[in-house]
Amino acid sequence: MHYLDNAATSWPKPETVYETMDQGFRQFLSAKRGTSQTSRHGAATLDTARQALADLLNVSNPSRVVFTGGCTQSLNLAIQAFPWKPGDGIVISALEHNAMSRPVRKMVREKQLELHVVPYTDDEPFSLTAYEQLLRTKPNIRLVATMHASNVIGSILPVEEIGRLAKQYGKYYLLDAAQTAGALPVDAKRFNADLIALPAHKSLYGPPGVGALYVGEDVPLQTFMEGGTGGDSGELAVQLVVPDMFEVGTIPMPQIRAMAAGARWVMETGVDTIRRHETRLLQHLLDELKTLPEVIVYGHTDVEQKTPVVSFNLIGQSPKSVGELLFDRYDIALRAGFHCAPMAHQAIGTLPIGGTIRASLGYYTTIEDVDALLEALREITSATHRVGDKDPVITRF
Ligand SMILES: Cc1ncc(COP(=O)(O)O)c(C=O)c1O
């Protein structure tokens, strides 16, 4: 199989992640619970894991790294536990994933917030002029919440500028680093990010079911879920201490260890090395797609402004049927549809046509994988050129 769906989840994983996950599950390691030697060892393991994530994100105090059940959970915690007041404003980009957009819209409905969406164009996926105008004219804005890069078109948002302006105007900044943690430098200090949400299973090459939220020292987050922390068991109320107040219930130690192993692997391999490999393949893919007249590529085509995520369509063919054909006939695994981001499809105009076909590359993608896709697309598009083409698999719209 040619696996080109790394924006959904990276595959395969480094050996060290498989081994850590396996050992972590076999070995009894309870953190924050029990009096045994292993639970003490578990607490130390948890500290080491927090340190790995703090190093990755350039965070000075590792206890501000909270482990969660994934990026969606991190975003829900950040957005729903924010101390909203009726009439507060929130700013998001026009490309947000449902993991951001849906909890934001829920808070807008329930807390009577004012929602501002910063306009998108292909050349400027996040209009800094419109954004600054909002910050200048809407003093009720309290939180700016954006993704780092689009999971649909790969466009990288100007997060350093977004964070700098948020700080200048006294707003909190929540960054969704789902598509970038491990693939691009994600730096809490440089981006002036107060909150950073990330998953383990994408560019950190870790397992699913675990993620993290960095919570800056001055962010007054309330609890989102309540439960046992293992440290304040005699109390009726959870003690308001980070990270314990957010890590309620039995935490998934094997997954946390494997997430940290993925983060360490990324840092040892080098984010730059990973990026160089992916960018080289991305350039090749984009150059060759340009030579296929029936292919429309969406968003930036400058590799410096993109993660290795390419959304495209074949003129006159539904993305879903092409996606299925690519898998059934050519053994190429990628995504077709909306990729959980209807806002992005609204922005690029593909909402009415069933979305896009998305190819996304990773560190383990090879040139052969990319060429297999290109060859398949050449074959499919030349088949549709034939007069009286009878291929029943290709559905037109
Ligand atoms: C931009 C973005 N944000 C958030 C998420 C949610 O991540 P998860 O499904 O790992 O919780 C994704 C997943 O695809 C994403 O691409």
Side-chain angles (χ1 to χ4, degrees), residues 145-312:
T146 78
M147 52 178 26
H148 190 172
S150 167
N151 63 306
V152 176
I153 48 176
S155 298
I156 300 169
L157 270 58
V159 290
E160 217 168 315
E161 277 298 286
I162 296 172
R164 189 183 64 72
L165 285 166
K167 187 167 179 72
Q168 185 182 321
Y169 284 87
K171 318 298 179 194
Y172 291 105
Y173 181 33
L174 161 62
L175 179 69
D176 172 3
Q179 291 294 325
T180 53
L184 292 177
V186 176
D187 187 321
K189 293 193 183 105
R190 188 151 59 84
F191 298 172
N192 284 297
D194 299 292
L195 295 151
I196 303 177
L198 63 152
H201 69 107
K202 296 185 195 275
S203 299
L204 290 185
Y205 295 85
V210 63
L213 179 69
Y214 159 66
V215 183
E217 308 277 348
D218 306 320
V219 188
L221 272 200
Q222 297 159 345
T223 55
F224 176 47
M225 289 192 297
E226 299 272 331
T229 65
D232 55 7
S233 299
E235 308 287 335
L236 290 177
V238 72
Q239 300 297 288
L240 299 180
V241 176
V242 180
D244 293 1
M245 66 189 274
F246 301 121
E247 292 177 350
V248 290
T250 303
I251 59 173
M253 284 298 287
Q255 286 86 337
I256 290 172
R257 288 180 68 182
M259 178 179 189
R264 285 265 172 248
W265 176 85
V266 161
M267 287 185 278
E268 278 157 26
T269 307
V271 173
D272 285 359
T273 306
I274 294 171
R275 173 87 178 138
R276 240 189 333 273
H277 171 76
E278 293 178 348
T279 304
R280 193 173 57 83
L281 294 185
L282 174 64
Q283 185 74 65
H284 174 62
L285 175 59
L286 289 169
D287 287 348
E288 291 301 314
L289 285 177
K290 248 189 257 165
T291 67
L292 298 175
E294 292 186 29
V295 174
I296 305 166
V297 175
Y298 299 93
H300 275 310
T301 48
D302 171 5
V303 293
E304 294 306 320
Q305 302 189 56
K306 268 174 87 74
T307 54
V309 175
V310 179
S311 254
F312 62 93

